[in-house]
Amino acid sequence: MIPKKINLFILLVLTALTSFSQEKFTLSGTINDFKNNETLIGVNIYIPSLKIGTTTNEYGFYSLTIPSGKHEIEISYVGYQTIQKTIDLNQNTKTNFSLQEGGEELQEVVITDNKGKINIKSPEMSTNKLSISTIKKMPVVMGEVDVLKSILLLPGVTNAGEGASGFNVRGGGADQNLILLDEATIFNSSHVFGFFSVFNPDAIKDLKLYKGGIPARYGGRASSVLDIYQKDGSSKGFHMNGGIGLISSRLLAEGPLVKDKGSFLIGGRASYAHLFLKLSEDQKDNSAYFYDLNTKLSYKLNDNNSLYLSGYFGRDVFSINKSFSNTYGNTTLNLRWNHLFSSKVFSNLSLIYSDYYYGLDLDLVGFKWDSGIKNYNIKYDFKHYISDKFKLNYGINGIYYGFNPGTIKPTGNTSGINPDQLDKKYAFEPAVYIDAESQFSKRITVSYGLRYSLFYRLGESTINYYDNDSPVVFDSNTQIYKKGTPISTKFYGKNKVIQSYDNLEPRFAISYQLNDDEALKASYNRMAQYLQLISNTSSPTPLDVWMPSDNYIKPQIADQVALGYFRNINNGAYSLEVEAYYKKVQNRLDYIDGADLIANDAIEQVILNGRMRSYGLELMLKKNEGKFNGWVSYTLSKSEQQTPGRTPEETGINDGRWYNSVYDKTHNLAITSAYNLNEKWSFGANFTLQSGQPVTYPNAQYEYLGITVPSYGLRNENRLPAYHHLDISATLTPRKNKDRNWKGEWVFSIYNLYNRQNAASINFRQNVDTGANEAVKTSIFGMVPAVSYNFKF
């Protein structure tokens, strides 16, 4: 008689052998748009009977290893019809799918309605994705569709106020956001000093914002990653689309280079509001306008190889009376090679160039100022689909930076101004990473990864050295920080290492599936930021200067944890996301009182390395289907900064206390909605309510030589009034569009419907009559009606 334990052992062995002997094959391919062959990012491929699935990568590729046999496969994507098809898998198979927006049926498939469900099983959290169709329905100022303004309606995202550039994520600074356009870094994301973004919505295919749980393939910033991809262009036929608005117009053309194999895309946008200034005698010599250009070439060499060349060029020009001229903007270029080593291994090699330029021409005093930052990036990424339950992402990259803090050149016959070049700076940032996603059980899926980054501050530069290694000195008698005096200098030749850093950046996320509709998720990530934006304003300005970490400017190190509850309601008709987070940042720059940041070749003398923390609760309730849909988001949060004294005698900034950062918004409520009345009319509305931005007001005043002088209290202990506005829009699509090639629509919108005079700033001045100090509020926008016409053919 065989003992029970041996019986049990034999049973386990037989079970294991059975599972290993079951043949598995790989189903792979690409998924694209039926109309134009545009590859689609993040499409869900799901096998209901096996309860397993995957998503397409940034180039529309998917790979799924499953047991042999017949299977029902379901392919779904927001904004497109879901398709279901039966496949008989008896060998490794490549199958491409095309999704379409309309209700027409493809052959041999069943089409169902797609719902914007949360992916409960995926450990991905703290991530928001917006479709361009959703963004275009949102009412915005002056009728200009704006990618960056749309993400301000998401939980955990704010900005510094109306007309302010950049955005803030979970209490972080705008400089802590990594903004990528086709993998190239965008250093200034705004046109017209923050009123509009640099992203032409007609050229954008996909947008994804990572607020936490950031994958290991991303690095270099402490708060978030905004990853944007441009369209490839249609390889099926030639198309054009564009729009005419009150202050700008845009036009985009796309078509095949070789039908079904290669395509091109070129899009331009320009503003013309400055032309109206010419009609005024007082303003005819003033100008303020922007223009940009998006380009892309795509070519499929064969089933395993594709090439992409994409670029962006944008400029803003601002001038006053021919005596002052300001030009700034971004230039990017990216050459990419996609290669499929096998049905399980996908690779992407990218060569990337990015340049941000800032120029200032002052004829009044006779000099020209040039500054900027350039980087050259090579990266090689691999996606390895090992099995249906285990995936690997890994890769390497290296970025070489060139910083020009400022070049001063005399213009014309100006005498008395000598050419001057602030010390140029160079740096190299290599990194290697590996990311894994593993399904441990039916309920638990985990992603975990590690990024190892290095940073080398390089010559050619002259470095100052100070007594006690302290470029900032604290005067204990006056309780004031002062600039230190160098005791020596040292010149480092070209590419000589001045300072180096290295950091291990672990990433981890887990999803525990409570049932088919609910999950708990948690994540942790560490991020190292080696570039610092030298700015003491609440939002970035074009004049701000990027600097590398060195002997005195330490890299920022951010640690963030998050815990969330996610639920699909009524079979995905509604979805609920609730997240709590805590983030701390080491070596956040702070500035001594009276810091002079412009054209400062010894910036270390006015900055200190402080720290930052933020924490909050985010809620988002979405209605995903029906004629009426949208979402409500609310964030309750706190963001603080502290720069304590370095010695027991030193008081630190703000007496060493924690103080509100300029990004602190206690309450942030956003409501966005869209209603499709019929084929002819659709409507949209946004409402935003935020706590006022922290500021420092005078708390007393005194007389000195007959002048009333304000005395200021602790940093950021006051706030601007609450910020809120309601925007509405109506879109008219003529019914005759359906039967003709030229299709047009009229968009009518009103920004700030009830004419709220939100305070952009409150300044204090001495009243001429009374001599007392008085507050003066500055508002940028009241109610702004707009109309624009969009077309395509």
Side-chain angles (χ1 to χ4, degrees), residues 173-180 185-187 214 218-226 373 375 399 401 429 451 505 507 525-533 546 556-558:
D175 61 302
Q176 295 177 324
N177 304 318
L178 178 63
I179 302 175
L180 302 173
T185 303
I186 299 294
F187 287 98
I214 300 172
Y218 298 109
R221 296 295 186 275
S223 265
S224 75
V225 177
L226 179 61
I373 175 175
N375 74 37
I399 308 175
Y401 298 96
E429 182 181 350
R451 182 181 183 88
E505 304 174 41
R507 317 289 170 86
N525 64 251
R526 165 168 282 205
M527 305 285 287
Q529 178 170 335
Y530 299 103
L531 303 190
Q532 318 295 345
L533 186 67
W546 288 91
Q556 298 180 59
I557 308 297

Side-chain angles (χ1 to χ4, degrees), residues 400 426 458-461 491-497:
Y400 182 82
Y426 303 91
L458 305 175
E460 183 174 19
S461 291
F491 177 77
Y492 290 81
K494 190 171 184 179
N495 292 329
K496 295 294 182 181
V497 177

Side-chain angles (χ1 to χ4, degrees), residues 329-632:
N330 300 275
T331 304
T332 69
L333 191 66
N334 186 5
L335 175 62
R336 285 171 289 171
W337 170 43
N338 287 174
H339 176 63
L340 196 61
F341 284 96
S342 71
S343 60
K344 292 188 176 185
V345 182
F346 180 93
S347 71
N348 178 69
L349 175 65
S350 297
L351 304 175
I352 307 166
Y353 169 76
S354 180
D355 174 24
Y356 173 67
Y357 167 80
Y358 178 84
L360 189 63
D361 196 340
L362 289 173
D363 283 347
L364 184 66
V365 292
F367 78 84
K368 183 178 180 181
W369 167 281
D370 291 329
S371 65
I373 175 175
K374 296 179 181 180
N375 74 37
Y376 306 86
N377 184 5
I378 180 170
K379 60 194 295 285
Y380 204 7
D381 300 303
F382 296 85
K383 295 183 182 295
H384 197 159
Y385 304 84
I386 295 176
S387 72
D388 59 298
K389 296 182 179 179
F390 188 68
K391 305 178 185 68
L392 273 181
N393 295 331
Y394 46 90
I396 58 174
N397 80 287
I399 308 175
Y400 182 82
Y401 298 96
F403 304 83
N404 179 14
T407 304
I408 301 175
K409 302 175 183 177
T411 58
N413 298 318
T414 305
S415 59
I417 297 180
N418 297 318
D420 190 20
Q421 172 65 63
L422 299 183
D423 223 6
K424 289 187 176 181
K425 298 170 175 61
Y426 303 91
F428 179 56
E429 182 181 350
V432 59
Y433 75 89
I434 185 168
D435 242 337
E437 182 175 320
S438 178
Q439 184 180 342
F440 284 0
S441 69
K442 290 182 178 180
R443 293 183 179 272
I444 299 175
T445 306
V446 177
S447 68
Y448 44 95
L450 184 66
R451 182 181 183 88
Y452 179 55
S453 61
L454 302 99
F455 189 81
Y456 300 93
R457 167 77 160 86
L458 305 175
E460 183 174 19
S461 291
T462 299
I463 301 300
N464 296 325
Y465 291 92
Y466 301 85
D467 190 25
N468 296 322
D469 207 25
S470 297
V472 178
V473 178
F474 182 74
D475 188 331
S476 57
N477 294 322
T478 61
Q479 301 287 295
I480 293 176
Y481 283 102
K482 297 181 179 179
K483 297 179 180 179
T485 302
I487 57 175
S488 65
T489 61
K490 182 178 179 180
F491 177 77
Y492 290 81
K494 190 171 184 179
N495 292 329
K496 295 294 182 181
V497 177
I498 299 170
Q499 182 66 283
S500 65
Y501 295 96
D502 68 293
N503 282 284
L504 285 172
E505 304 174 41
R507 317 289 170 86
F508 177 81
I510 182 171
S511 171
Y512 179 75
Q513 195 170 345
L514 300 171
N515 52 51
D516 288 344
D517 293 318
E518 295 176 282
L520 294 175
K521 300 185 183 185
S523 68
Y524 163 78
N525 64 251
R526 165 168 282 205
M527 305 285 287
Q529 178 170 335
Y530 299 103
L531 303 190
Q532 318 295 345
L533 186 67
I534 305 302
S535 171
N536 57 2
T537 59
S538 57
S539 66
T541 69
L543 188 56
D544 295 336
V545 175
W546 288 91
M547 299 281 284
S549 294
D550 57 19
N551 312 51
Y552 308 109
I553 303 176
K554 308 298 182 183
Q556 298 180 59
I557 308 297
D559 292 280
Q560 180 178 201
V561 293
L563 177 66
Y565 169 75
F566 301 82
R567 183 179 180 183
N568 288 314
I569 304 169
N570 194 17
N571 196 29
Y574 299 86
S575 58
L576 174 66
E577 303 175 33
V578 182
E579 290 193 39
Y581 67 88
Y582 179 83
K583 177 169 58 179
K584 63 177 183 178
V585 182
Q586 306 171 46
N587 302 321
R588 179 63 176 167
L589 289 186
D590 210 342
Y591 303 91
I592 67 174
D593 292 332
D596 182 12
L597 305 182
I598 306 301
N600 189 341
D601 215 1
I603 200 72
E604 69 274 6
Q605 296 176 355
V606 296
I607 62 174
L608 294 169
N609 291 293
R611 55 191 177 217
M612 190 175 178
R613 68 184 181 192
S614 61
Y615 45 91
L617 178 69
E618 300 173 355
L619 298 95
M620 188 174 188
L621 177 64
K622 296 177 66 178
K623 186 177 186 298
N624 298 312
E625 62 178 32
K627 286 192 171 185
F628 177 78
N629 53 65
W631 67 82
V632 178

Side-chain angles (χ1 to χ4, degrees), residues 25-37:
F25 296 107
T26 300
L27 177 69
S28 62
T30 58
I31 299 179
N32 54 35
D33 188 304
F34 179 76
K35 292 188 300 184
N36 51 29
N37 282 338

Side-chain angles (χ1 to χ4, degrees), residues 773-786:
N773 282 312
E774 61 182 6
V776 180
K777 182 176 77 171
T778 300
S779 297
I780 298 177
F781 291 121
M783 184 176 67
V784 183

Side-chain angles (χ1 to χ4, degrees), residues 21-234:
S21 64
Q22 186 178 19
E23 279 192 299
K24 290 189 175 184
F25 296 107
T26 300
L27 177 69
S28 62
T30 58
I31 299 179
N32 54 35
D33 188 304
F34 179 76
K35 292 188 300 184
N36 51 29
N37 282 338
E38 185 83 38
T39 56
L40 301 175
I41 303 172
V43 177
N44 296 305
I45 301 97
Y46 185 63
I47 312 292
S49 60
L50 303 175
K51 293 188 175 181
I52 60 174
T54 188
T55 59
T56 55
N57 68 8
E58 293 82 0
Y59 298 92
F61 176 78
Y62 76 94
S63 177
L64 191 61
T65 300
I66 54 179
S68 61
K70 285 189 176 183
H71 301 282
E72 289 286 335
I73 184 170
E74 181 178 286
I75 298 138
S76 62
Y77 190 57
V78 175
Y80 287 77
Q81 297 293 329
T82 296
I83 62 176
Q84 295 174 339
K85 183 178 180 180
T86 301
I87 56 168
D88 191 356
L89 197 64
N90 51 31
Q91 61 181 355
N92 291 340
T93 304
K94 280 188 177 180
T95 303
N96 300 329
F97 293 97
S98 294
L99 300 183
Q100 55 186 17
E101 299 178 12
E104 298 177 7
E105 292 192 3
L106 300 176
Q107 292 182 354
E108 299 180 355
V109 301
V110 176
I111 302 179
T112 62
D113 291 330
N114 176 51
K115 300 173 182 178
K117 291 183 179 180
I118 299 171
N119 190 339
I120 296 297
K121 184 170 287 189
S122 169
E124 183 179 79
M125 64 180 299
S126 306
T127 301
N128 294 109
K129 182 176 179 179
L130 290 178
S131 67
I132 292 302
S133 60
T134 299
I135 292 172
K136 287 184 174 182
K137 292 176 183 177
M138 295 179 179
V140 288
V141 64
M142 297 184 185
E144 294 297 310
V145 175
D146 197 309
V147 170
L148 290 190
K149 294 295 188 293
S150 67
I151 67 173
L152 297 177
L153 297 168
L154 299 172
V157 185
T158 63
N159 69 355
E162 216 155 37
S165 62
F167 57 97
N168 309 113
V169 176
R170 292 185 168 177
D175 61 302
Q176 295 177 324
N177 304 318
L178 178 63
I179 302 175
L180 302 173
L181 179 63
D182 273 354
E183 301 180 339
T185 303
I186 299 294
F187 287 98
N188 187 315
S189 59
S190 298
H191 281 310
V192 197
F193 304 101
F195 288 108
F196 311 105
S197 77
V198 300
F199 304 109
N200 182 346
D202 290 341
I204 301 304
K205 171 164 67 173
D206 185 83
L207 176 155
K208 199 171 189 179
L209 176 67
Y210 297 87
K211 300 177 293 186
I214 300 172
R217 68 180 180 272
Y218 298 109
R221 296 295 186 275
S223 265
S224 75
V225 177
L226 179 61
D227 200 2
I228 300 175
Y229 280 87
Q230 294 188 126
K231 293 178 180 177
D232 299 333
S234 172

